[in-house]
Structures are given as structure tokens and as C-alpha cells.
Amino acid sequence: MENTPNNLIHASSPYLLQHAYNPVHWYEWGNEALEKAKAENKLILVSIGYSACHWCHVMERESFENHEVAEVMNQHFICIKVDREERPDIDQIYMYAIQLMTGSGGWPLNCICLPDQRPIYGGTYFRKNDWINILENVAGLWANEPDKAIQYAERLTSGIRDSEKIIQSSVEEAYTDAHLTEIIEPWKRHFDIAFGGYNRAPKFPLPNNWVFLLRYGFLKDDGSVFTAVCHTLEEMSRGGIYDQIGGGFARYSVDDKWHVPHFEKMLYDNAQLISLYAEAYQCTKFESYKQTAIETIEWVFDEMTSPEGLFYAALDADSEGIEGKFYVWDKAEFDEILGDDAELIGTYYNITEEGNWEEEQTNILRKTLSDDDIITKFGITAEILKGKVSLAKEKLMAVRGKRIRPGLDDKCLTAWNGMMIKALAEAAQIFNHHTYYEKASATAQFILNNLKTEKGGLFRNYKNGKATITAFLDDYAFFIEALISLYEYDFDEQWLNEAKQLSDYVMNNFTDADSPMFFYTSAKAEDLIARKHEVMDNVIPASNSTMSQNLKKLGLLFDNESYADKAAEMLSGVREKIKTYGSAYSNWAIQLLNEVYGINEIAITGLETDVVKMELSHYYIPNKIVLGGASSNLPLISGKQSNDTKIFVCRNKVCQLPVKTVEKALEHLK
């Protein structure tokens, strides 16, 4: 490394700052670099990654820190480093280009472009010598046969612009149970009956998939689907993918048993998993689900919360340059820490002499035996086991706390904070834990006070007191969703009014005249080579599916037909695709489920509104919105206020007579 930093030294992204002392003359994406490429007629090298990406670090060590490689890069290219989490709009375009070129994608993502940003060549991780050869060959092509490069760029850019275009569906039809069955039947074939999840490796948690399947299994009374969900949640929380002593989930497991994780922990996974486990607890009352959710929340509070009350993006997989080193144990150290309880706790967490992670000869904590098996084997009571496990966790955490920690990505993203606010508001309601709500509402208020633009839009990021990047559709979608969740907890209509104002901003600035889907980028954002739609649900639900659900709910809450019509258009546009690959459209499938079963609009009035709302939260009603309060301008409650407790249940524009007890209200939901 050189002592002189490159242009990344002023970046807000921890990932970019990691590259600030590379000998490569890196730039951030922006006018300076893009204009320089045009002025010098140089190819642009766009290199995209994120701070918790293991292979991004490997390529940096092998190539970007190497002077020989840097010399080739600096001579022939304007080199731009991009944090995909800060600039998903750029990542989206070049990832699609790589997928068109190679058939697959991933990170690190390296794309070589013409001086006007159109891609001509790319791939993911390259070894040092291969990387040098590619750079020299592409630079030679641009120097000697520029017309060939331009022709290729034209074809590729055309493919990017035309991809995944959803057009308006002209068929108006009523959704039925048959539409759900045609999605579910092929989906079931992929369930892993032995270890949960899907029968493949690596295994990602994909929380939104299991939210849909939980709701479907419950509403449809489909035992096979419901059992698959419960089994998956149990297996994930017992596996190495879950941090057994510190709480929180890693991004995925490399095997089919949830055993060996890719150790980075992402806020977006954990926020969604808190929501999933809390909802599953509300449905099943399984204590282990509640414990998993609460431990994960505590991890977020302990390790992922900024002084302002925002939530950080990610924890790295590596510490001291070795993946997972912070989290694993050898038996000798483990036994020394736990003393007389070493055999019991070692059996509880599957600790072996040779190590249960053969590759590293160390142990990843996981539970392979049930508590009942342990109780029987060691002749102890459940209470004694619980006490010993609790004490062991404290001792192990005390030792682990002294190790060199994995790197923290301390930027705060509006979209991911939205997911966490929603998770906390839901957990506060389901677990009757008001502190979670207080944290969630404080975070939301900070975003409203500090990350809103003068024109009523949002910023995407916050770090070191600054917000610098124009928000994308996912920032609006997940933050609006969070605001609706806060309202359903406290019935404070300021949250809904903010959600409505932001939804109007989306309608005004993200609408595509040629498609029912919203663009991912705002009309006010900088021009890139394409404006894309994000339609498929992945590890994070698509911004369009989330926005569609928001508009459906706000349409009901405000009796706003234009919101409801837009949501219906969006679902109609994508419905044919859902049955082809349910897992990749699971959030859309939730909206379809709501259309088939209807959304219960439950309005509570009277002096005991909070008591009724808390009692109602003991029951699992996945297809509902709840509203209430002493005074309200919302059409469903306006004019219905009185001191007497009344519960109104409406569905599909039909309302039942008000009742006075939750028990009576539930009869209207059957």
C-alpha cells in the first residue's frame, strides 16, 4: 500500500474507504470521473462490491493492492469503485450486463465500459494474472478496433434496457384459490424435508418466502406447507447460521444443513428474520421462536445501533483476515472456559476434539440434539439446563468480546432502517414490549427530521452527520411500510400522513408511463444508461412488490381509489410470472393471498383502545390492518368515536355491526 490516498479518502462508504490507500487511482462514481473518461477517451472500469463481501477483500489483496496490476489499471482506464449498498442503481445495471454476458453474476462485480458508461466486458472475481490479461486485451480492442467495442456496447445496452419490462395487463379477473394452488404445488417440490429450507446448497434464509408460506399454510390449512415452515425456522435457529451465543443470523450457509455460515451479518436479513420469527411465534406460540427474535433484537441494539439511534448496515465475515475467526472455538479453549460444565455444554453445542468444521479444525456452535435428549443424557431438569446454558453463554461472550472484532460497516441506509423499524414495531406489539416501539419511533423520527429533502423526498444514506445520496424506490417502499407499522402500534396518524406524502412523491417521481411498475430511480436522480424496474423478490423483497402492498393498505386506510387501483394494476401485471417461480415472487404472492382471502379492516374505538389492541395481538390474523384512536380523520373511524369500546370489522367494502369484545370480533373473521 502507498501512504498517499486516492480519491476515495473522502467517501462516506466504509467499503470505499477500505480502498482509499490502494495504488489504483480509484474515483467515486460522479461527474469528475465520468467527465475525465470522456475527455481522455478512456474506458471506464467499474468495480462493485460491499464491505462484508469476502471475495471482494480477496481480490483487493491479490490485485488492487498490487503495484503491477495498478499500473495497468491506471494506464488504460478510469477506475471507479462503487458500494452496491449505497448505489444499487449502478449495481443493478452492470449486474444485469454481466448476467447477459456470462449467464451468472455476483460480487466482486467488475465491468469495463465505454467512456459513455455503456458496458462491453465484465465478470466477477478474477485471479491476478487473468485480470491483467483481460485488462490488456480489452484496452487493445478499444485502441485498435473501437467500432467493434461500440457495436457490442449497443447490443448489450439494448438488452439491459429491454429486460424484465412488465407491461400493462389487459385482463381483469377475480383472483381465486386456484391461482394460489398453481403457485404452491411446484414450489412444494423444492422443500428439504430433512433440514428445512430448500433442497439445495448454499442455503439462504429468504425470510419473505417463509412469511408467505406461513400465511398460506395457516389460511389454507395446508399442513404440509405449515410444517415445512415450522421445521425450517427451527432448523435455522439451531444451526451454525445463527449465532448461538450472540444472537443474529449470518447471510447464508454454504452447506445444506445450516451448519457452516458465510459469516457476515446483514441488517436486512436480521430485520426480516425478526419479523418472521415474531409472526411465527404469534401463530404457533413456540417459545423458541420468541427467544430467537428477542436475542436477534438484542444483538442489533448491542452491535448495530448508531449514537443517533439509526441501524448500521453490516458486520464483516472476516476478522484478522480469516473468515469466521471471531465466532469459532477449539475444544481446548472451550473446555477451559466452561470447566465442570464443559462436557454438558460441549454436547449441547456439538463441540468435538477434531472440530465440527473440518476445513478449519474448529467448532461452529450449533444444536444437533434436542433439549429433551440433553436432559435425559445428563439426568438434569429443564430448569438446570436453562441456567447452565445461560451461564455458559455469558462466559463464552466474555472471552469472545476480547477477540479482534469483524469489521463494521457503519453507514446507515434508509431502506434497511425501514425494515428494522417495522420489525421492532411488530415485535413490540406481539411480545408486549413497549421499549422496542420507543426505539423504532425514535429512529423513524430521526429519518423524518434528518433524511428528508426540501422537496419532500428522502436521502438513502447517513454517516458522520451527512446524508448525500438521493433515495431509491426501496428506500421509500420500506420506510413507508415502517410508518404504517408504527401507526398500527400507536394509532398516531402523523405516521400515516407521512406515509401518504411519501407515496405521493413516489407516484410523482417514479412512475413509468409505459408500465404499471415504478422505476427504481427517481426522475430527479442522475441519468444512467438505463432506468430499471425492480420486480423480482430476492433476499430482500422487490421495491415494487413492497410499494404495491403499501398502496393497497393506504388505499384502504384513506379510502383512496387511485392508490388501490395502482396496487391492482401492479399485481395484475406480474401475476402470470408468479406461478413460474413462486420463490422469486413471494412478496407479490402475499398480495395475491390478501386478494383471495380479503384484508380484514379492524377499527377500534373507545377509552380502552390500547387494551383491546393488545388482546387482539394474541391472535394470528395475517390478512389484516388495524386502526383506531380517540379522534380520527380516517374514513373507517371518522364519526364512530365514543367512550364505549367498539370493534368494527370490515372486508371487501362490507362492514359488520360493531361488537364490544375481541372474542365477538373474531367471529366476524371466520
Side-chain angles (χ1 to χ4, degrees):
M1 284 198 186
E2 294 181 346
N3 293 324
T4 310
N6 56 47
N7 290 286
L8 300 184
I9 197 67
H10 303 298
S12 61
S13 156
Y15 173 67
L16 299 192
L17 290 168
Q18 287 166 8
H19 293 77
Y21 285 89
N22 292 168
V24 176
H25 297 158
W26 291 118
Y27 289 86
E28 285 192 80
W29 184 278
N31 280 338
E32 183 184 1
L34 299 174
E35 291 303 323
K36 187 176 172 67
K38 283 183 188 167
E40 298 179 13
N41 197 33
K42 268 189 169 182
L43 294 174
I44 299 170
L45 194 159
V46 183
S47 180
I48 305 174
Y50 58 102
S51 72
C53 164
H54 174 70
W55 289 101
C56 298
H57 298 319
V58 173
M59 191 160 176
E60 181 190 13
R61 285 198 296 272
E62 292 176 352
S63 292
F64 303 148
E65 291 178 0
N66 182 288
H67 286 269
E68 180 191 358
V69 178
E71 196 173 324
V72 178
M73 291 172 69
N74 296 335
Q75 181 182 345
H76 298 295
F77 302 92
I78 300 298
C79 302
I80 299 179
K81 250 292 163 207
V82 175
D83 180 338
R84 69 170 294 263
E85 295 166 352
E86 278 197 342
R87 294 300 304 266
D89 55 331
I90 299 167
D91 176 62
Q92 197 179 63
I93 288 169
Y94 294 114
M95 177 60 74
Y96 203 80
I98 301 297
Q99 287 169 338
L100 286 176
M101 283 185 256
T102 67
S104 63
W107 300 276
L109 188 155
N110 294 287
C111 198
I112 298 171
C113 309
L114 298 182
D116 63 8
Q117 305 169 35
R118 291 182 297 169
I120 57 170
Y121 187 84
T124 52
Y125 165 77
F126 294 99
R127 295 180 185 279
K128 177 191 151 190
N129 290 339
D130 296 339
W131 183 233
I132 291 173
N133 286 337
I134 285 161
L135 295 174
E136 289 177 338
N137 287 338
V138 178
L141 177 71
W142 181 238
N144 302 318
E145 299 178 88
D147 289 349
K148 193 183 279 188
I150 289 165
Q151 281 171 11
Y152 193 43
E154 283 170 355
R155 287 201 303 276
L156 202 50
T157 305
S158 168
I160 294 166
R161 287 176 179 153
D162 295 342
S163 65
E164 299 176 318
K165 187 87 166 174
I166 303 288
I167 54 171
Q168 187 65 52
S169 165
S170 56
V171 183
E172 286 291 323
E173 59 179 321
Y175 297 114
T176 67
D177 213 46
H179 290 121
L180 292 167
T181 305
E182 68 184 4
I183 297 166
I184 284 289
E185 287 309 314
W187 199 338
K188 283 181 179 179
R189 293 197 283 273
H190 299 287
F191 292 162
D192 183 338
I193 305 305
F195 299 108
Y198 302 123
N199 47 16
R200 60 175 182 246
K203 277 190 172 173
F204 286 80
L206 297 170
N208 188 258
N209 278 208
W210 303 106
V211 170
F212 165 71
L213 292 165
L214 174 70
R215 294 179 186 184
Y216 174 85
F218 176 82
L219 290 170
K220 178 73 173 167
D221 198 19
D222 185 325
S224 64
V225 171
F226 193 79
T227 302
V229 175
C230 294
H231 184 50
T232 297
L233 266 58
E234 196 64 40
E235 289 295 313
M236 284 199 303
S237 65
R238 295 169 64 81
I241 191 174
Y242 182 67
D243 183 346
Q244 297 294 336
I245 61 169
F249 287 84
R251 199 162 70 90
Y252 64 89
S253 78
V254 299
D255 57 274
D256 66 349
K257 300 178 180 63
W258 307 108
H259 177 191
V260 179
H262 205 5
F263 285 88
E264 68 266 53
K265 289 179 174 178
M266 316 300 293
L267 180 67
Y268 61 75
D269 284 323
N270 284 285
Q272 292 179 86
L273 285 159
I274 291 164
S275 288
L276 170 61
Y277 276 88
E279 184 173 327
Y281 168 76
Q282 187 183 43
C283 179
T284 64
K285 299 297 185 283
F286 291 170
E287 279 298 319
S288 65
Y289 295 168
K290 180 179 181 179
Q291 182 183 347
T292 300
I294 288 173
E295 287 173 358
T296 303
I297 291 169
E298 286 170 356
W299 165 73
V300 171
F301 288 167
D302 289 345
E303 299 190 33
M304 301 298 285
T305 307
S306 79
E308 299 88 358
L310 293 173
F311 301 107
Y312 296 135
L315 273 184
D316 209 330
D318 301 3
S319 51
E320 301 178 71
I322 299 170
E323 186 180 0
K325 185 170 183 182
F326 182 73
Y327 298 100
V328 298
W329 305 86
D330 67 53
K331 190 171 187 305
E333 182 187 22
F334 188 90
D335 289 356
E336 187 182 339
I337 294 164
L338 295 175
D340 293 344
D341 287 334
E343 187 188 354
L344 168 65
I345 302 299
T347 305
Y348 186 80
Y349 284 129
N350 187 229
I351 303 298
T352 67
E353 195 73 58
E354 62 280 6
N356 64 28
W357 184 15
E358 296 79 8
E359 192 178 312
E360 302 291 334
Q361 281 81 51
T362 54
N363 291 282
I364 297 165
L365 302 188
R366 61 172 182 158
K367 298 179 194 170
T368 53
L369 297 174
S370 71
D371 286 7
D372 287 345
D373 289 341
I374 300 277
I375 287 163
T376 303
K377 181 171 181 174
F378 288 90
I380 55 175
T381 65
E383 204 55 44
I384 288 172
L385 177 63
K386 188 178 176 185
K388 285 185 179 292
V389 169
S390 180
L391 181 62
K393 283 184 180 182
E394 281 179 33
K395 288 179 176 179
L396 291 166
M397 280 292 280
V399 172
R400 198 173 86 174
K402 293 177 181 146
R403 294 177 178 175
I404 294 172
R405 301 185 61 74
L408 171 70
D409 187 327
D410 63 349
K411 67 175 178 291
C412 302
L413 299 174
T414 301
W416 301 4
N417 272 259
M419 292 179 201
M420 194 61 212
I421 294 165
K422 172 180 175 276
L424 290 172
E426 290 169 348
Q429 190 70 55
I430 292 166
F431 301 143
N432 191 14
H433 202 313
H434 190 67
T435 308
Y436 296 162
Y437 159 77
E438 288 172 348
K439 296 253 192 187
S441 60
T443 306
Q445 201 58 60
F446 186 89
I447 290 171
L448 290 169
N449 293 343
N450 297 277
L451 277 85
K452 275 190 87 169
T453 67
E454 291 176 6
K455 300 275 177 67
L458 293 171
F459 285 106
R460 177 170 181 79
N461 65 326
Y462 187 87
K463 186 172 184 293
N464 297 335
K466 289 201 297 268
T468 52
I469 297 168
T470 302
F472 304 108
L473 185 61
D474 57 341
D475 297 301
Y476 290 91
F478 291 117
F479 189 55
I480 291 166
E481 188 179 38
L483 293 169
I484 296 169
S485 295
L486 285 169
Y487 167 75
E488 290 197 82
Y489 182 88
D490 67 8
F491 293 155
D492 183 342
E493 282 172 36
Q494 70 131 338
W495 303 122
L496 285 187
N497 292 330
E498 293 283 0
K500 185 175 187 298
Q501 183 259 311
L502 290 170
S503 296
D504 290 340
Y505 188 93
V506 169
M507 298 277 262
N508 291 333
N509 291 284
F510 290 80
T511 294
D512 179 354
D514 299 322
S515 170
M517 299 301 159
F518 292 112
F519 283 121
Y520 185 70
T521 55
S522 165
K524 291 185 165 63
E526 70 175 282
D527 283 339
L528 299 174
I529 60 168
R531 274 184 94 187
K532 301 289 294 168
H533 308 100
E534 185 183 63
V535 178
M536 289 174 75
D537 301 313
N538 203 302
V539 291
I540 296 175
S543 45
N544 268 297
S545 63
T546 306
M547 201 60 222
S548 183
Q549 287 193 38
N550 291 339
L551 290 171
K552 176 70 177 180
K553 285 186 179 179
L554 292 171
L556 292 170
L557 289 163
F558 286 106
D559 193 18
N560 184 316
E561 287 292 330
S562 67
Y563 289 171
D565 290 347
K566 180 67 173 174
E569 272 176 30
M570 295 170 80
L571 179 61
S572 177
V574 84
R575 191 195 67 75
E576 277 297 316
K577 290 181 176 291
I578 307 176
K579 66 183 178 187
T580 62
Y581 189 8
S583 171
Y585 293 94
S586 55
N587 209 38
W588 293 107
I590 289 172
Q591 191 177 347
L592 180 60
L593 191 66
N594 289 340
E595 291 295 326
V596 173
Y597 283 90
I599 293 179
N600 296 293
E601 303 152 39
I602 304 172
I604 309 168
T605 64
L607 296 176
E608 303 216 324
T609 298
D610 287 348
V611 176
V612 172
K613 179 165 60 71
M614 189 47 68
E615 187 185 344
L616 191 66
S617 72
H618 295 153
Y619 298 93
Y620 185 53
I621 310 158
N623 51 329
K624 73 176 187 308
I625 54 171
V626 184
L627 57 162
S631 64
S632 174
N633 298 313
L634 296 173
L636 270 170
I637 335 180
S638 184
K640 294 176 180 171
Q641 274 83 10
S642 70
N643 288 342
D644 293 338
T645 298
K646 290 181 183 171
I647 307 167
F648 300 82
V649 178
C650 305
R651 183 164 56 197
N652 299 334
K653 299 190 184 300
V654 178
C655 293
Q656 306 297 323
L657 289 171
V659 294
K660 293 193 172 185
T661 65
V662 169
E663 188 180 2
K664 288 283 187 191
L666 291 171
E667 289 177 13
H668 291 322
L669 301 176
K670 287 173 182 168

